[in-house]
Amino acid sequence: MLNKIDYSKKQIIDMLSLKNSDELNDLYEKAYQIKLDNIGGLVYFRGIIELGNVCEKDCYYCGIRKSNNKVNRFVFDKETIIECAKWCYTQNYGSIVLQSGESKDKNYVNYITELLKEIKKIGNGELGITLSLGEQDEDTYKAWYNAGAHRYLLRVETTNNSLFRSLHPKSHSLEERIKCLDILGKLGYQVGTGVMIGFPGQTVEDLANDIIFFKEKDIDMIGMGPYVRHSDTPFGQYLDNSDEVKKERLELGLKMIAVARIVLQDVNIATSTALQALHPLGRERGLKAGANIIMPVITPKIHRKDYMLYEDKPCMEDDAEDSKINIIKMVENIGEKVVLGKWGDSKHFSIRKNIK
Ligand code: SAH
C-alpha cells in the first residue's frame, strides 16, 4: 500500500518536531487519511470501569500512588461492577475496560477472575473485555485470559530506562513491564501499551524511540496521553504547570497519535481522557489526528473523585459530557461513525494472527 513505508528514526523525530500550524495540519491530515485507508472513519467504544484504587505501586506522577495518604481507598463490590457491565451491554457499547490500581494479592486476583466469568455470562459473552490491571504473574494473566479477557493494556510509560528511573522508585522495573507485554502476547491477548507524553526530561528522540518500540514489539493497541500534573505527588510538586506548558503537552499528545498512526498504520489507538483534561475538545482532536477508540467513563460517580490519576480529570460530576448521545454527536460532527455492539478488535492483531 502507498503509505506503508518504514520510517527512519530521523523521519519520526522530524514529524514529532513540527511546530508550524500548516505543517501540523498536514501531518494530522496524513494520519487521518491513513486511518481511513486502514480502518475507515469508525470509532469504537470501550466503557471504562475504574474498579478500585488500591495500589502497591508508588509511581512519582500518579495521584493514586501507594504513598498518597490523602486518597480514600476503595474497591467496588461484584454487584456494582456487574451492573456497570450490564449497563454497557444494554447500551450496546460492545466492549468494556476494567482498570484499577495494581495489586498481586491472591484474593484480589481471584476476585477479578470471578468477575470476568460473571461478565462473560452477560449476553452470552457478547461484551469484549480489555484489562488494565498492571503487572501480574503469568499464571494470573493466563487465568484472566481463560476467564474471558482478550485484550490487555499495560503502558511502559517510557522506553528510556533512565527516564523510567526518574518516574519510579527503585523497586519498579521497565524490564519487568516489557516482560509482561511479552507474556501477554504469548498467551494470545491483543496487547496494548503506551507512554506518558511531555513529562519533564523527555525529548522528541525519546518519543521517537517509543514509537519504534511499539513497531518492533508488534503492538496491537496504543493507549497514550499527555502527562498531567497531580500536586499530591512528588513529581507534581515542583513542575511548571503553566497554560503554555499544558498547550505544548496537548500538541505533543496529538502529534504522537498522528505519528503512531502514520508509522503503525493498522493498530487501534485510543484518544485519551488526559487529552480532554488539557483541552475541552482534546478527545475529538485525538480522533482527527488518527485515533479510533474512545473510552467513556462508566465508573459509578460515588468513587470517581477517588480515582484521580491526575488533576482536572474530566467527567467527575455529571456524566452528560460522557453520555453515549453526546459522544455519538461529537463523532458525527467530525464526519465519523460510532460502531455500536461490536468488539472493535485491532486489525493489526487479526493480520498478525493470520500470518503467524
Ligand atoms: N495500574 C494499572 C493502570 C492504572 S493507571 C497499570 O499500572 O497499568 C493507567 C495509566 O494512567 C498509567 O499507565 C499512566 O500512564 C497514566 N497516568 C497516571 N498518572 C498520570 C498523570 N499524572 N498524567 C497522565 N497520565 C497518568
Side-chain angles (χ1 to χ4, degrees):
M1 199 188 287
L2 192 65
N3 281 308
K4 272 210 165 29
I5 341 168
D6 263 329
Y7 289 87
S8 68
K9 182 159 149 187
K10 172 159 188 323
Q11 285 172 311
I12 296 176
I13 292 176
D14 287 347
M15 289 191 274
L16 289 172
S17 309
L18 294 177
K19 287 257 180 281
N20 168 296
S21 67
D22 285 343
E23 287 175 342
L24 276 179
N25 285 336
D26 287 348
L27 180 81
Y28 298 146
E29 267 171 33
K30 177 172 178 176
Y32 192 73
Q33 194 54 49
I34 291 176
K35 172 170 92 166
L36 293 184
D37 291 348
N38 280 276
I39 42 190
L42 305 173
V43 176
Y44 294 89
F45 274 8
R46 311 273 184 257
I48 179 166
I49 306 165
E50 296 146 331
L51 62 90
N53 64 3
V54 177
C55 196
E56 290 165 5
K57 289 288 175 82
D58 223 2
C59 311
Y60 297 145
Y61 47 86
C62 181
I64 63 165
R65 64 196 296 268
K66 183 178 166 189
S67 301
N68 185 0
N69 52 24
K70 291 190 187 164
V71 175
N72 170 35
R73 303 286 166 178
F74 74 95
V75 179
F76 280 118
D77 61 26
K78 201 173 189 174
E79 290 68 35
T80 307
I81 298 166
I82 297 298
E83 213 171 287
C84 291
K86 280 189 177 150
W87 186 87
C88 286
Y89 175 66
T90 53
Q91 292 291 314
N92 232 354
Y93 272 29
S95 286
I96 58 169
V97 177
L98 298 180
Q99 189 180 79
S100 79
E102 197 169 300
S103 171
K104 286 188 169 179
D105 179 87
K106 271 284 154 257
N107 290 330
Y108 186 72
V109 165
N110 293 337
Y111 177 57
I112 300 291
T113 312
E114 290 313 308
L115 268 176
L116 289 167
K117 289 183 187 160
E118 289 292 315
I119 293 171
K120 267 293 142 189
K121 289 185 195 154
I122 302 170
N124 270 329
E126 271 188 36
L127 271 178
I129 308 175
T130 307
L131 298 180
S132 175
L133 305 170
E135 289 163 43
Q136 301 288 345
D137 300 334
E138 179 162 349
D139 286 349
T140 300
Y141 285 145
K142 196 187 272 173
W144 290 349
Y145 185 82
N146 291 337
H150 67 123
R151 296 186 288 237
Y152 206 104
L153 181 63
L154 182 73
R155 293 184 178 180
V156 288
E157 316 299 356
T158 172
T159 55
N160 175 330
N161 199 41
S162 62
L163 283 181
F164 190 93
R165 295 269 51 91
S166 78
L167 291 171
H168 302 99
K170 267 208 188 78
S171 57
H172 302 25
S173 142
L174 173 60
E175 207 186 338
E176 187 57 36
R177 267 181 118 70
I178 296 177
K179 203 173 107 199
C180 286
L181 293 177
D182 292 338
I183 293 171
L184 290 163
K186 188 184 85 182
L187 292 174
Y189 280 95
Q190 290 176 48
V191 182
T193 191
V195 293
M196 277 196 309
I197 302 161
F199 59 85
Q202 189 187 44
T203 64
V204 282
E205 180 172 3
D206 293 318
L207 290 167
N209 285 331
D210 294 339
I211 289 181
I212 291 167
F213 170 85
F214 303 153
K215 175 140 183 150
E216 285 174 354
K217 279 274 167 206
D218 228 353
I219 291 299
D220 304 305
M221 329 181 294
I222 308 289
M224 58 187 174
Y227 164 74
V228 186
R229 186 176 79 157
H230 192 303
S231 45
D232 295 326
T233 60
F235 230 67
Q237 289 183 3
Y238 52 85
L239 294 177
D240 181 359
N241 203 40
S242 62
D243 286 349
E244 198 49 40
V245 167
K246 286 190 192 169
K247 203 170 149 240
E248 268 171 37
R249 278 193 212 129
L250 171 74
E251 192 173 279
L252 203 50
L254 295 170
K255 278 195 273 191
M256 275 296 276
I257 290 180
V259 178
R261 173 62 68 204
I262 291 169
V263 175
L264 306 171
Q265 308 257 325
D266 55 5
V267 295
N268 275 347
I269 304 180
T271 183
S272 72
T273 316
L275 285 172
Q276 203 185 337
L278 293 179
H279 192 283
L281 300 179
R283 281 199 299 191
E284 58 195 273
R285 291 180 64 186
L287 295 176
K288 289 295 282 176
N292 66 319
I293 302 287
I294 199 157
M295 296 160 67
V297 179
I298 303 302
T299 312
K301 273 176 237 167
I302 179 165
H303 283 309
R304 282 193 197 177
K305 61 176 182 335
D306 300 322
Y307 201 81
M308 285 280 216
L309 306 177
Y310 44 81
E311 285 162 2
D312 303 322
K313 194 160 165 248
C315 316
M316 277 299 141
E317 288 306 328
D318 75 332
D319 39 19
E321 57 186 317
D322 230 27
S323 74
K324 182 173 153 191
I325 210 155
N326 278 0
I327 297 182
I328 291 178
K329 234 189 270 166
M330 177 268 266
V331 169
E332 282 172 357
N333 272 341
I334 59 166
E336 301 211 333
K337 190 172 166 291
V338 173
V339 184
L340 291 171
K342 288 260 159 50
W343 285 7
D345 280 342
S346 161
K347 188 176 165 194
H348 185 81
F349 178 76
S350 336
I351 292 173
R352 174 162 87 76
K353 275 303 216 195
N354 286 339
I355 293 171
K356 280 178 186 166

